[in-house]
Amino acid sequence: MSKVAVLGLGKAGLAAARHALAAGDELTVYAGASAPALIEAAQPLQQAGARVVFDCEQVEGPFDLCVASPGISANSAFYKSAQAASAELVGECEYAFRLSPQDWLAVTGTNGKTTTTSLLAHLLNAAGTLAYPCGNIGDTCTESVEHRRAGETLVAEMSSYGLASTSRFAPQVAALLNITPDHLSWHGSLQAYADAKLKVFQNMGPGNTAVICDEVPGCAQIAAQLRERGVAVITVGSRVPGVDCAYEREDGMLCVETQGCCCELCRAEELQIKGPHNVMNALAAAACALAYGCDAGGVAAGLRSFAPLEHRIEPCGSAGGVGYFNDSKATNVDAVLVALKAFPGQPVNLLLGGRDKGTDLAPLVEACKGPVARVFAYGEAAERFCAAFEGSGIPLQRAAGMREAFACASQAAQPGEVVLLSPACASFDEFSSFNHRGEVFKDLVAALKA
């Protein structure tokens, strides 16, 4: 019997705690603040023999293993206390990998990882390989391991939080999409954040494949270091003669070129997911699937059949000749910059606002010049958006909340234009999550159409 501690009792912590109990471990859970929902979640664990500690971040061991939930920063006193009290501390993704280390693929990046993870699992299934997405998307890694079917490949969306606490995690194929500033308060610096992302490749060796998008800072250097270790590398974005790469040809054909052979898949216009960023996501997913051994015909069919995900430039229909799109997942400036490229030739009425992340707004203002007809700023961040857009020449209207901003935008938008919720902010000033915000937006569109 091992002595195991679990930090946090959210989705990941609860999954790890349940597994530890089922394995017969002596379990202590440090659950955090004694909120009613957590107290309720803890009751079955306590009834099964676990010790649950609330309102305490001083961990008292010794423990053979501690599993930390992804929201707990490695720089926090709570995490360091647990580290000192445990022979080893790992994250929930690492814990799950050790339980079942075969057949993992991984996707990480600041933006686009949920779409790419979902698409990659879809491509594998379309090509006849049983696959299931997990991690940041759907079930936790631990739950996915517990429910794993024979021969099933797990496709894990890996956050920087989850990767920071890995040590043995070794996917057979992994993709790194991009690295832009995000979660810096958790990691402490941009370099620490980038280092966490790069840990997705740390245990790769001969027989494994790394897929790296051109826009990753230092892409060429990272690729060279991986090749020195015997890792196969496919770069995504531009065609480079003599280098394994995935790219969009001038005629719009998506191609993956490896070992001198070019695999033509489908045209960009055939994708149901729109925008240049989704072309990159599709190329990255296709490169991963082909590297994993999937049939090119199945991959091509999967690219054509994959539908847009909720809250990610999600089409919500049209009313009065105006198209409505829910991009509530765009909680940072970089995500909005990507979304603005998805509507060539269609003026955008842009809804910005929510809880401010304090990021530099100058690139956003500059990117809005041209594609954006009007800005509607709302919520806690409205004042800063108003200040940033002052003098830009872009009409801006301030609203108290997202619902009011939607009403203003729907009145102002002209036929042929787009109303886009792509807030560049967290949702927590007005909504419980970005999902909640997106659902409210879709309800407003539905009511308008009715």
Side-chain angles (χ1 to χ4, degrees):
M1 178 187 290
S2 297
K3 295 184 69 175
V4 175
V6 170
L7 303 188
L9 202 53
K11 188 177 179 181
L14 190 57
R18 285 171 175 161
H19 184 86
L21 279 175
D25 294 325
E26 182 182 331
L27 176 65
T28 300
V29 178
Y30 287 83
S34 52
L38 291 182
I39 293 172
E40 183 179 350
Q43 288 176 353
L45 302 178
Q46 292 169 315
Q47 292 167 0
R51 173 174 169 254
V52 180
V53 180
F54 288 101
D55 303 314
C56 176
E57 294 190 354
Q58 184 60 44
V59 178
E60 296 181 1
F63 295 102
D64 300 306
L65 179 69
C66 179
V67 183
S69 296
I72 301 170
S73 171
N75 297 315
S76 68
F78 189 20
Y79 189 100
K80 291 176 180 177
S81 172
Q83 207 167 29
S86 308
E88 188 176 18
L89 189 152
V90 302
E92 183 268 334
C93 296
E94 174 77 13
Y95 180 63
F97 175 79
R98 294 184 184 189
L99 298 173
S100 180
Q102 293 78 33
D103 301 319
W104 286 74
L105 306 184
V107 176
T108 193
T110 306
N111 296 307
K113 56 186 177 291
T114 298
T115 295
T116 306
T117 301
S118 301
L119 175 54
L120 177 53
H122 178 81
L123 296 183
L124 264 61
N125 284 304
T129 298
L130 189 63
Y132 189 76
C134 64
N136 266 25
I137 178 174
D139 289 342
T140 65
C141 292
T142 303
E143 291 169 319
S144 299
V145 163
E146 290 175 335
H147 305 144
R148 196 175 210 183
R149 295 164 288 180
E152 184 173 58
T153 296
L154 296 182
V155 184
E157 178 188 332
M158 298 295 289
S159 69
S160 57
Y161 302 156
L163 284 167
S165 53
T166 56
S167 57
R168 300 182 199 168
F169 183 70
Q172 287 159 270
V173 181
L176 175 58
L177 305 176
N178 43 59
I179 299 176
T180 59
D182 204 4
H183 306 305
L184 300 191
S185 60
W186 193 97
H187 290 280
S189 69
L190 178 57
Q191 186 59 55
Y193 173 65
D195 289 344
K197 291 291 188 187
L198 290 169
K199 286 187 77 175
V200 76
F201 301 134
Q202 72 173 350
N203 296 315
M204 283 185 154
N208 300 148
T209 301
V211 174
I212 312 173
C213 290
D214 286 354
E215 60 190 59
V216 172
C219 171
Q221 182 180 0
I222 295 165
Q225 291 170 346
L226 287 167
R227 291 188 182 107
E228 285 178 5
R229 287 170 24 202
V231 180
V233 177
I234 302 174
T235 59
V236 179
S238 304
R239 182 179 184 273
V240 182
V243 174
D244 291 353
C245 51
Y247 57 93
E248 181 184 0
R249 209 165 56 195
E250 289 182 0
D251 62 359
M253 181 64 69
L254 305 190
C255 302
V256 178
E257 196 168 314
T258 56
Q259 299 179 345
C261 297
C262 181
C263 178
E264 299 180 349
L265 295 169
C266 71
R267 296 187 184 279
E269 64 190 22
E270 296 179 88
L271 298 173
Q272 296 184 53
I273 49 176
K274 301 303 180 185
H277 67 294
N278 275 324
V279 171
M280 292 288 282
N281 293 339
L283 286 168
C288 288
L290 293 171
Y292 196 56
C294 289
D295 171 71
V299 171
L303 287 172
R304 295 187 184 97
S305 62
F306 183 72
L309 298 181
E310 275 194 307
H311 315 302
R312 294 160 177 85
I313 320 183
E314 176 191 5
C316 302
S318 61
V322 176
Y324 290 82
F325 291 82
N326 163 31
D327 193 34
S328 182
K329 182 62 174 66
T331 60
N332 57 49
V333 166
D334 289 293
V336 182
L337 301 187
V338 165
L340 290 176
K341 297 176 182 177
F343 307 99
Q346 291 182 281
V348 174
N349 294 269
L350 180 61
L351 275 61
L352 294 170
R355 178 152 294 169
D356 198 351
K357 285 192 169 183
T359 49
D360 182 11
L361 299 181
L364 174 62
V365 174
E366 191 61 31
C368 286
K369 295 176 180 176
V372 173
R374 303 164 198 87
V375 169
F376 301 87
Y378 68 89
E380 289 181 3
E383 186 174 347
R384 203 161 79 90
F385 281 119
C386 290
F389 278 89
E390 187 175 359
S392 67
I394 301 171
L396 184 144
Q397 187 170 345
R398 184 169 180 171
M402 195 271 284
R403 294 169 180 82
E404 183 182 327
F406 175 90
C408 295
S410 61
Q411 289 173 3
Q414 302 299 306
E417 296 184 348
V418 162
V419 171
L420 171 65
L421 171 67
S422 193
C425 292
S427 59
F428 304 118
D429 62 334
E430 192 176 355
F431 304 101
S432 61
S433 64
F434 75 82
N435 306 78
H436 180 205
R437 176 171 60 191
E439 292 298 334
V440 170
F441 179 85
K442 290 196 289 185
D443 288 344
L444 293 170
V445 176
L448 188 65
K449 290 164 62 179

